[in-house]
Amino acid sequence: QDLVRDAMREGALGVGSSLIYAPSNFANKDELIALVSAAAEFGGAYISHIRSEGNWLQEGVQELIDIASATGVPAEIYHLKASGKPNWHKLDQVFNMIKDARAKGLRITADIYTYPASATGLNAAMPLWVQEGGHDAWIARLKDPEQRAQVVHAMNNDATTWNNTYLQVGPENILLLGFKKPTLKSLIGKTLNEVAEERKADPAETAINLVIEDDSRVEVSYFGMSEENVRKKMAQPWISFGSDEEASATEGAFLLSNNHPRAFGTFARVLGKYSRDEGIIPLEEAVRRMTSLPAKNIQIRDRGQLIEGFF
């Protein structure tokens, strides 16, 4: 709590958590409430990559609502999604949960990128216990035959304690985007399933091997959402838009890996595809949700509107 207070005095906006990933996942709700309470003393906010976007989506949303209720801070879900076809139907229930919370006076919002595919690393496809202690510890466990077998078993079985992106999406829907090692860059643009077939190996084993070989989390895209759900999210007035991707230079070494197209296309896609072409939201609303709404939601002061004295 003292570290949070120090950060708030230095100009932090609040507390952020990435509960789908190690090590953040190891923090329980009571710990998060304690940290966010310290930020609340300074008028801070809470933003979270919630604990599950798939099998336990509603529970992840409820945890964020509970933290907002206990601390009184504005709380935002970053890149809200229902991942994996078996979970697509849950989005409507999530909307109702958030609307009910907002009706009670809680300041719950969300942001999205305007694509049905996410992008992160193969770490999101593996259980969290194997990643405890950082990257080197993760690699060491993957090289241990006994622990490796446990990881493969966990990846191939529906989990009750972690967000199993691998099983929710399927290896045929995991696209390889980026490697550190030049010898592996030829695999960019192939699916995990395709590489597994080329290597005549199980896809889960292949994912583990790629992480070890590249000594990285391996950048991938997960095609786990539905376009219909993207449109539904676009229509919610409390959802803003963000790219969730580094905008790396289009030259030199950066051309040897693939960015998710959201790095450059998120806002053009809002204005062109969804506002102009499909008419899901009018232009004025699209602009509001790129500018003043996100500034308000996460309390970025003096930005987001054409007002004298604003940046």
Side-chain angles (χ1 to χ4, degrees):
Q1 284 182 311
D2 285 340
L3 288 170
V4 171
R5 293 182 182 111
D6 288 345
M8 294 303 295
R9 292 185 188 102
E10 292 167 355
L13 297 173
V15 172
S17 64
S18 296
L19 302 177
I20 203 170
Y21 299 110
S24 294
N25 181 269
F26 306 134
N28 62 30
K29 184 166 70 176
D30 289 341
E31 179 178 349
L32 291 165
I33 288 172
L35 297 177
V36 176
S37 294
E41 297 168 14
F42 299 82
Y46 177 57
I47 188 167
S48 182
H49 199 307
I50 57 175
R51 205 173 291 274
S52 174
E53 299 174 327
N55 292 355
W56 307 100
L57 174 62
Q58 296 101 316
E59 290 84 350
V61 171
Q62 188 60 53
E63 181 180 43
L64 177 126
I65 292 171
D66 290 347
I67 291 168
S69 179
T71 60
V73 304
E76 173 141 349
I77 299 168
Y78 62 85
H79 31 279
L80 174 65
K81 67 176 73 69
S83 183
K85 192 170 184 178
N87 300 306
W88 288 352
H89 70 282
K90 297 177 180 178
L91 190 65
D92 289 331
Q93 185 177 346
V94 166
F95 289 161
N96 289 333
M97 292 171 67
I98 293 173
K99 288 173 184 175
D100 287 347
R102 287 169 60 85
K104 294 173 183 174
L106 296 179
R107 292 169 288 173
I108 309 296
T109 56
D111 58 72
I112 63 168
Y113 42 84
T114 50
Y115 293 84
S118 61
T120 183
L122 285 176
N123 54 320
M126 298 185 194
L128 292 147
W129 63 263
V130 76
Q131 302 170 53
E132 184 174 357
H135 178 79
D136 291 343
W138 176 30
I139 297 292
R141 291 192 188 98
L142 293 180
K143 290 180 177 178
D144 176 74
E146 185 176 332
Q147 294 184 85
R148 178 191 178 101
Q150 292 173 0
V151 173
V152 171
H153 177 77
M155 291 172 69
N156 283 313
N157 288 272
D158 209 8
T160 56
T161 58
W162 61 291
N163 192 80
N164 191 343
T165 307
Y166 174 82
L167 202 61
Q168 288 166 12
V169 173
E172 70 280 5
N173 292 313
I174 301 175
L175 186 71
L176 302 173
L177 296 181
F179 295 91
K180 288 196 310 183
K181 302 280 179 68
T183 53
L184 293 170
K185 289 186 184 294
S186 62
L187 302 180
I188 291 173
K190 296 181 179 181
T191 66
L192 179 61
N193 213 41
E194 288 170 340
V195 174
E197 289 176 354
E198 289 174 3
R199 296 184 170 196
K200 296 180 172 57
D202 173 73
E205 294 272 8
T206 301
I208 291 170
N209 289 336
L210 290 174
V211 167
I212 294 171
E213 290 168 33
D214 201 49
D215 195 23
S216 81
R217 70 174 195 162
V218 180
E219 300 298 324
V220 298
S221 188
Y222 295 95
F223 286 78
M225 292 173 271
S226 76
E227 180 64 34
E228 180 186 0
N229 275 355
V230 173
R231 293 189 180 97
K232 285 182 179 180
K233 291 184 290 186
M234 295 283 300
Q236 303 303 313
W238 41 268
I239 289 180
S240 60
F241 310 121
S243 59
D244 186 42
E245 183 75 17
E246 62 191 33
S248 51
T250 54
E251 60 186 23
F254 296 106
L255 297 176
L256 301 178
S257 295
N258 280 14
N259 278 37
H260 190 299
R262 65 192 182 193
F264 304 105
T266 293
F267 303 103
R269 193 169 165 92
V270 169
L271 296 172
K273 176 178 172 63
Y274 293 109
S275 179
R276 181 193 63 208
D277 298 342
E278 299 189 10
I280 293 173
I281 51 175
L283 176 62
E284 298 87 346
E285 175 68 357
V287 171
R288 181 185 76 89
R289 287 164 59 191
M290 293 178 181
T291 55
S292 60
L293 182 65
K296 178 184 176 184
N297 287 351
I298 56 174
Q299 304 187 136
I300 304 175
R301 290 178 289 277
D302 303 327
R303 295 182 189 270
Q305 288 180 280
L306 292 174
I307 293 177
E308 187 174 350
F310 273 39
F311 289 97

